[in-house]
């Protein structure tokens, strides 16, 4: 009897104990951190929220009209004139100066220091509507084709990007040791999906789309790595659809990442800040410096398949040459000119 009673009691203890463990584990699982649900994207009601549809095209039109000064006016609105690229040398230099200025204007770079003055640079470039227009100008001038309905064609090009209902950025990862077998290689890992666009109202947006090659380990001794990251125009919250980059409140574009691993070791947060809108618009006139006649090698006004080495932008070098090549590279990425 004692032995049978012991068996019953032991069995009952095992059942109760298992039940308690189940309750405790359920409680612990409820306390465990959970992955937050992705934000619900939306399109703000403001007609200016999609900058690719609402941006001014005056500067691009002025540069284009300058090209017509030495070219006969088409007989009809739909006439297309084919000319030799060297006949447009003046406008081409203007258009390229505009492109270089826009690429530099809308870019910011963070550097990860390595040994022996080497470094890895991560450049974020806002693909602004002005930058798109500058690329479009350079492309048609290089192709040697002038059409009288230029403004309509330019808006069509902008509308094709506007249809995404997103804000586009180009992320470029270069190293002073790219394509070098004689240096120690390093590997960085950027959590692209956690690259946050932060606005002045404390709204954080994660990328809606990104090129996955950016989310892979990147070796500093191999070729540069680059790709697009896109954020939504708006995020749905309790008070409605919030415009991510409302120029009324956002004077800067701020993109942050909490950690970038170097050789599998965590570093620290990184921030890219790109001036967006001034508090007061002083004028809407284009920068007149692009209309100053310049000369140079017209053969260098062409797309470039790879970004320049960061060494070109270090102290004691020629930063203008760096931005010239970086602009050519951005042009190539937007048009796939060398592929």
């Amino acid at each position: 009897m004692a032995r049978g009673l012991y068996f019953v009691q032991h069995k009952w203890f095992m059942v109760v104990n298992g039940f308690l463990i189940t309750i405790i584990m359920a409680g612990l699982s409820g306390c465990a951190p959970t992955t937050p649900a992705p934000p619900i994207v939306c399109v703000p009601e403001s007609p200016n929220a999609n900058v690719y549809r609402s941006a001014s095209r005056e500067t691009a039109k002025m540069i284009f009209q300058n090209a017509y000064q030495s070219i006969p006016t088409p007989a009809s609105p739909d006439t297309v004139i084919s000319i030799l690229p060297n006949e447009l040398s003046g406008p081409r230099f203007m258009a390229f100066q505009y492109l270089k200025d826009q690429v530099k204007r809308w870019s910011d770079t963070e550097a990860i220091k390595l040994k022996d003055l080497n470094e890895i640079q991560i450049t974020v470039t806002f693909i602004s509507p002005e930058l798109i227009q500058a690329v479009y100008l350079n492309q048609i001038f290089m192709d040697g084709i002038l059409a009288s309905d230029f403004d309509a064609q330019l808006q069509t090009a902008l509308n094709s990007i506007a249809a995404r209902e997103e804000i586009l950025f180009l992320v470029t990862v270069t190293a002073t040791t790219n394509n070098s077998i004689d240096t120690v290689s390093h590997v960085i890992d950027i959590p692209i999906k956690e690259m946050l666009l932060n606005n002045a109202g404390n709204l954080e947006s994660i990328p809606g789309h990104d090129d996955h090659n950016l989310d892979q380990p990147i070796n500093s001794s191999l070729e540069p790595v680059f790709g697009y990251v896109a954020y939504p125009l708006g995020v749905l919250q309790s008070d409605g659809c919030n415009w991510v980059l409302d120029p009324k409140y956002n004077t800067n574009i701020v993109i942050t990442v909490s950690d970038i691993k170097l050789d599998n070791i965590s570093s620290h947060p990184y921030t890219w800040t790109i001036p967006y809108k001034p508090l007061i618009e002083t004028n809407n006139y284009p920068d007149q410096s692009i209309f100053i006649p310049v000369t140079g090698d017209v053969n260098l006004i062409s797309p470039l398949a790879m970004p320049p080495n960061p060494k070109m932008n270090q102290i004691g070098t020629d930063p203008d040459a760096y931005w010239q090549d970086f602009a050519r590279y951005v042009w190539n990425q937007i048009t796939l000119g060398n592929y």
Side-chain angles (χ1 to χ4, degrees):
M1 288 292 295
R3 187 174 179 183
L5 179 61
Y6 171 79
F7 177 77
V8 172
Q9 289 176 335
H10 182 71
K11 182 177 181 180
W12 175 249
F13 174 78
M14 292 291 290
V15 171
V16 172
N17 191 43
F19 181 71
L20 289 174
I21 291 174
T22 301
I23 293 176
I24 292 171
M25 291 301 293
L28 289 175
S29 64
C31 297
T34 57
T35 303
I40 300 175
V41 301
C42 57
V43 178
E45 294 182 359
S46 171
N48 296 323
N50 194 320
V51 293
Y52 301 105
R53 287 198 181 97
S54 60
S56 169
R57 303 182 299 280
E58 289 306 310
T59 300
K61 287 192 291 186
M62 289 177 66
I63 296 174
F64 182 81
Q65 289 166 1
N66 183 278
Y68 262 118
Q69 292 180 1
S70 58
I71 304 297
T73 303
S76 60
D78 58 350
T79 301
V80 174
I81 300 176
S82 297
I83 56 178
L84 296 175
N86 58 6
E87 294 183 65
L88 285 174
S89 59
R92 286 189 69 185
F93 281 113
M94 290 182 192
F96 188 70
Q97 181 65 41
Y98 182 41
L99 173 60
K100 184 171 66 173
D101 289 348
Q102 291 304 309
V103 169
K104 185 176 181 181
R105 156 76 176 85
W106 295 110
S107 296
D108 190 33
T109 300
E110 283 283 343
I112 300 175
K113 301 297 183 181
L114 306 175
K115 294 181 179 180
D116 301 325
L117 300 179
N118 286 312
E119 63 183 27
I120 299 172
Q121 289 189 358
I122 306 170
T123 301
V124 174
T125 304
F126 172 42
I127 306 300
S128 72
E130 295 81 10
L131 195 157
I132 292 292
Q133 294 176 58
V135 166
Y136 189 81
L137 266 174
N138 278 271
Q139 188 65 44
I140 65 169
F141 285 167
M142 186 181 73
D143 293 341
I145 298 176
L146 296 184
S148 57
D149 59 346
F150 166 77
D151 188 47
Q153 292 186 6
L154 180 59
Q155 187 60 66
T156 298
L158 289 167
N159 287 344
S160 67
I161 300 174
R164 296 174 59 117
E165 302 289 2
E166 293 179 311
I167 313 163
L168 281 172
F169 295 84
L170 178 64
V171 177
T172 306
V173 184
T174 55
T176 52
T177 54
N178 280 147
N179 296 315
S180 175
I181 60 174
D182 299 327
T183 58
V184 176
S185 63
H186 298 274
V187 175
I188 67 165
D189 194 352
I190 308 171
I192 290 295
K193 298 185 187 307
E194 299 171 20
M195 210 170 187
L196 303 178
L197 176 61
N198 307 262
N199 77 359
N202 297 319
L203 177 64
E204 295 181 339
S205 301
I206 62 173
H209 296 94
D210 60 86
D211 288 338
H212 293 321
N213 61 313
L214 293 169
D215 203 23
Q216 306 297 317
I218 299 172
N219 192 310
S220 65
S221 63
L222 302 181
E223 289 190 342
V225 174
F226 36 83
Y228 289 107
V229 175
Y231 296 89
L233 296 177
V235 173
L236 189 64
Q237 295 187 305
S238 59
D239 57 346
C241 184
N242 281 268
W243 184 357
V244 171
L245 281 180
D246 186 344
K248 181 179 180 181
Y249 302 106
N250 294 276
T251 58
N252 291 312
I253 298 173
V254 180
I255 293 178
T256 62
V257 64
S258 60
D259 176 47
I260 293 178
K261 290 183 178 180
L262 176 63
D263 297 330
N264 210 32
I265 298 175
S266 296
S267 52
H268 58 79
Y270 289 85
T271 301
W272 294 264
T273 303
I274 301 171
Y276 186 47
K277 293 289 182 180
L279 285 175
I280 299 177
E281 293 278 4
T282 54
N283 62 66
N284 292 317
Y285 302 109
D287 183 359
Q288 295 299 311
S289 65
I290 62 175
F291 298 104
I292 299 174
V294 294
T295 58
D297 186 356
V298 74
N299 295 317
L300 295 179
I301 306 178
S302 59
L304 196 63
M306 288 289 171
N309 191 290
K311 289 180 180 178
M312 293 179 65
N313 200 29
Q314 291 181 333
I315 297 175
T317 59
D318 184 1
D320 189 67
Y322 172 83
W323 285 110
Q324 174 175 297
D325 283 356
F326 200 88
R328 296 172 64 193
Y329 144 76
V330 172
W331 173 3
N332 186 77
Q333 293 312 301
I334 291 176
T335 63
L336 295 182
N338 285 324
Y339 294 104

